[in-house]
Amino acid sequence: MLDTTGTPPQTLPNAPGVGYKPQHFAAIMEDPAPVEWLEIHAENYMGDGGRPLAQLRHLAERFPISVHGVGLSIGGADPLDTDHLKRLKHLCDWLNPASFSEHLAWSTHEGFYLNDLIALPYTEETVTRVADHVAQVQDILGRKMLLENPSSYLAFAESTYSETDFLTEVVARTGCGLLLDINNVFISATNQKTGAIDYIDAFPLDHVGEFHLGGHDQDTDDTGAPLLIDSHGREVADPVWALFDYTLSKTGARPALIEWDANVPEWPELAAEAARAATILQKAPA
Amino acid sequence: MSRQSEFAQAILNPDLPVPEGLQNPEGAPAGKRFSVYRNNVAVSLSEALEVTFPVIRKLVGDEFFKAMAGVFLRQHQPNSPVLMFYGAEMPAFLEGFEPVAHLGYLPDIARIELALCRSYHAADTPPLDPTALQAIAPDDLLKTRLHLAPPVHLVHSKWPVGSIFHANSSGDTPPTEMHPEDILITRPEFDPQVTVLPSGAGAFIAALIDNATLGDALKQATITSGDFDLTETLGLLLSAGAITKISKGT
């Protein structure tokens, strides 16, 4: 288990953050309110220099930064990509971010990267693999990581764990924290015809270091049943806000991120989503 | 075949059946639910290619580009999660892609766009102070080596690809006749620039990239071109911040 005695002093505030987009740089530097921290996708900052790293250097002087990896393939059957781990370590050592997080999913197979967060079955075999990979990441980065719950579209016949039990087990084995994506909970519950509240009630909430809030698209499956797609391309849906409110009533305020990655709006619209999160965070129990 | 191999192949090839054991909430086969992954992968990789190859996209049209990207991404998946460098195989792919065989300059346009992308993300190095060159005695100058900055790239083409590139990115007049061009990519600060090089400069800069002395590079340039202008080319490199260091040749 990771020794966390040397964790960096800076942490994410229990306030709204947003996923950083370069087109918002000037607006954020001028007036970020109510946004108090920023999240970047690690893979977009793995060049050697130029504008992306220059902007990040400026932002990191003013804001706590969360580094969110999207390409490590922690649920992959193959060993973790050591070149990619080195790139992550290089970025985290340089930036010393307030948080590092990745996904309970896989995306790389036999050396090829599919650029999607693909679900995995929840079995003894996969819990061991994921825990080993999380431990390896924490060991190499020298910091605790947060693992994010996925959005799911289908179920695996071979699963023997519920997702919440699976995550609880990974936490127990590795000492990692969790990133609870409220939109993903709502998507998965709708798509799997399970209860979103039940999921939150079963979730190991004590270990949540960050929330994600994003928008989803609506579709239907072959039977006409609702099929929600995790698109991050619009405002957060009302039932997701309600679920966030419910969750905070149990956890109190924690860092909460607005994710808007496609059809990215102008800054005022994104800031308005963050303001909505701020309102809910402010009335949460201390 | 392992579970993830089966999954990956079915994602990339929509003609393959959805893997067994994937279910909807009633325990029936997942069907269309699996298509979410197929769609996400194809659309996101295609969008990554659109970001890197905007001029190729403009030249072939949006609809054609999407279809072509679909063929490309099924032949060449990214070999790294760092997608900013995805598409390195595009020039070779275009050379062999029959539907664009009549657009012989496309592979070199793709080479320019790849070079722009690498240049954008290349390491920052302070440019050489132009007075450093003037401080060297004329006799010693030809023995020196000029070190080019990491964002500098060179593309040789038998087509007027620089002119075609500018006509389709900044609205310049398209070239009226086909002729060879050498293209230099530099990055004065953060934004890479595409420059059509004067006669002989391509051979000169290629020699510098190969670590030749200034004298040997000059020889290469004058062999290639009868009217190579050393002062003009050095001025171009210095003003674009393309030279980072000068060292005594031995």
Side-chain angles (χ1 to χ4, degrees):
Chain A
M1 193 172 290
L2 181 80
D3 174 8
T4 53
T5 51
T7 44
Q10 199 185 38
T11 54
L12 298 177
N14 296 329
V18 292
Y20 172 65
K21 300 294 165 204
Q23 58 265 44
H24 296 146
F25 180 77
I28 289 172
M29 292 305 268
E30 193 185 318
D31 179 16
V35 171
E36 295 187 27
W37 57 279
L38 302 169
E39 187 159 282
I40 57 156
H41 285 177
E43 286 72 12
N44 292 340
Y45 297 87
M46 289 183 171
D48 293 326
R51 182 177 284 117
L53 294 182
Q55 284 192 344
L56 184 52
R57 198 179 306 117
H58 283 292
L59 294 167
E61 285 169 5
R62 278 188 58 181
F63 301 96
I65 306 283
S66 160
V67 172
H68 189 52
V70 297
L72 197 52
S73 199
I74 281 178
D78 300 332
L80 292 180
D81 177 348
T82 50
D83 287 340
H84 198 57
L85 274 171
K86 277 183 205 156
R87 288 189 286 262
L88 276 174
K89 180 171 175 54
H90 179 76
L91 179 64
C92 287
D93 285 354
W94 170 68
L95 194 62
N96 194 19
S99 175
F100 173 75
S101 51
E102 251 285 358
H103 299 84
L104 176 59
W106 63 278
S107 52
T108 296
H109 184 65
E110 291 173 347
F112 293 111
Y113 175 63
L114 294 170
N115 197 33
D116 195 24
L117 298 163
I118 305 167
L120 63 157
Y122 299 139
T123 63
E124 283 305 326
E125 183 191 345
T126 58
V127 80
T128 299
R129 178 203 304 161
V130 168
D132 287 351
H133 286 172
V134 167
Q136 187 187 356
V137 173
Q138 296 189 129
D139 194 36
I140 286 173
L141 297 186
R143 59 170 65 233
K144 177 174 168 171
M145 66 164 281
L146 306 180
L147 187 65
E148 178 177 347
N149 59 301
S151 49
S152 64
Y153 306 110
L154 44 77
F156 289 82
E158 65 262 46
S159 285
T160 52
Y161 280 84
S162 70
E163 188 167 287
T164 47
D165 286 349
F166 189 95
L167 286 166
T168 302
E169 185 62 23
V170 174
V171 169
R173 292 192 195 184
T174 66
C176 76
L178 296 170
L179 193 169
L180 178 51
D181 187 316
I182 303 285
N183 182 48
N184 287 355
V185 172
F186 184 75
I187 288 172
S188 297
T190 305
N191 292 346
Q192 308 277 21
K193 297 187 180 170
T194 55
I197 297 281
D198 295 340
Y199 184 99
I200 298 295
D201 288 345
F203 201 85
L205 293 172
D206 288 349
H207 300 279
V208 173
E210 180 184 338
F211 293 113
H212 272 183
L213 297 157
H216 57 253
D217 291 343
Q218 301 191 5
D219 200 351
T220 52
D221 76 357
D222 315 71
T223 69
L227 181 62
L228 302 184
I229 316 284
D230 187 23
S231 63
H232 299 176
R234 60 177 66 219
E235 65 281 359
V236 178
D238 285 340
V240 174
W241 285 119
L243 192 59
F244 178 52
D245 201 353
Y246 173 78
T247 308
L248 285 193
S249 72
K250 306 185 76 167
T251 63
R254 306 267 173 94
L257 183 94
I258 305 293
E259 285 187 300
W260 201 322
D261 296 317
N263 309 316
V264 176
E266 298 290 314
W267 176 253
E269 196 177 343
L270 187 58
E273 285 285 275
R276 192 164 174 184
T279 306
I280 298 172
L281 285 165
Q282 279 155 14
K283 70 177 181 66
Chain B
M1 197 183 343
S2 78
R3 195 72 159 129
Q4 288 186 0
S5 294
E6 188 188 23
F7 220 97
Q9 290 187 16
I11 284 174
L12 289 167
N13 184 353
D15 294 335
L16 289 175
V18 172
E20 303 243 335
L22 303 181
Q23 304 172 335
N24 75 6
E26 283 73 38
K32 188 179 162 188
R33 291 164 174 262
F34 187 76
S35 307
V36 177
Y37 295 115
R38 284 176 168 154
N39 189 55
N40 284 354
V41 170
V43 169
S44 71
L45 292 183
S46 180
E47 284 174 355
L49 294 170
E50 284 177 19
V51 169
T52 302
F53 301 104
V55 173
I56 294 284
R57 183 183 172 204
K58 180 148 189 227
L59 284 164
V60 300
D62 191 39
E63 203 177 325
F64 188 93
F65 187 90
K66 279 193 167 58
M68 187 172 77
V71 178
F72 178 87
L73 69 90
R74 285 175 176 84
Q75 290 178 16
H76 304 281
Q77 288 93 52
N79 57 14
S80 147
V82 186
L83 276 191
M84 59 179 85
F85 300 125
Y86 177 46
E89 306 88 348
M90 186 61 84
F93 171 84
L94 291 169
E95 277 167 3
F97 191 54
E98 189 59 33
V100 296
H102 61 295
L103 302 174
Y105 50 81
L106 273 193
D108 286 344
I109 297 285
R111 289 185 179 96
I112 292 177
E113 298 206 283
L114 284 172
L116 284 170
C117 183
R118 291 183 191 122
S119 180
Y120 185 75
H121 293 288
D124 310 296
T125 44
L128 182 78
D129 181 348
T131 58
L133 261 183
Q134 293 154 15
I136 295 173
D139 286 355
D140 293 337
L141 195 61
L142 293 182
K143 294 181 209 152
T144 60
R145 287 187 165 82
L146 302 180
H147 301 262
L148 300 183
V152 175
H153 292 269
L154 188 63
V155 176
H156 299 290
S157 181
K158 59 179 180 177
W159 309 92
V161 284
S163 305
I164 294 169
F165 179 89
H166 285 306
N168 288 280
S169 55
S170 52
D172 291 2
T173 315
T176 51
E177 57 180 49
M178 291 298 158
H179 56 269
E181 280 181 357
D182 289 336
I183 309 304
L184 183 69
I185 284 99
T186 56
R187 200 187 80 201
E189 195 177 11
F190 293 129
D191 295 303
Q193 309 290 322
V194 172
T195 306
V196 179
L197 287 171
S199 178
F204 177 76
I205 294 166
L208 295 185
I209 290 171
D210 287 343
N211 203 29
T213 61
L214 195 53
D216 287 343
L218 181 60
K219 202 177 294 172
Q220 286 301 318
T222 47
I223 289 169
T224 310
S225 159
D227 49 16
F228 173 64
D229 185 334
L230 178 63
T231 311
E232 179 191 21
T233 300
L234 284 179
L236 191 155
L237 289 170
L238 284 168
S239 65
I243 303 172
T244 58
K245 206 174 74 172
I246 183 162
S247 64
K248 293 273 163 62
T250 48

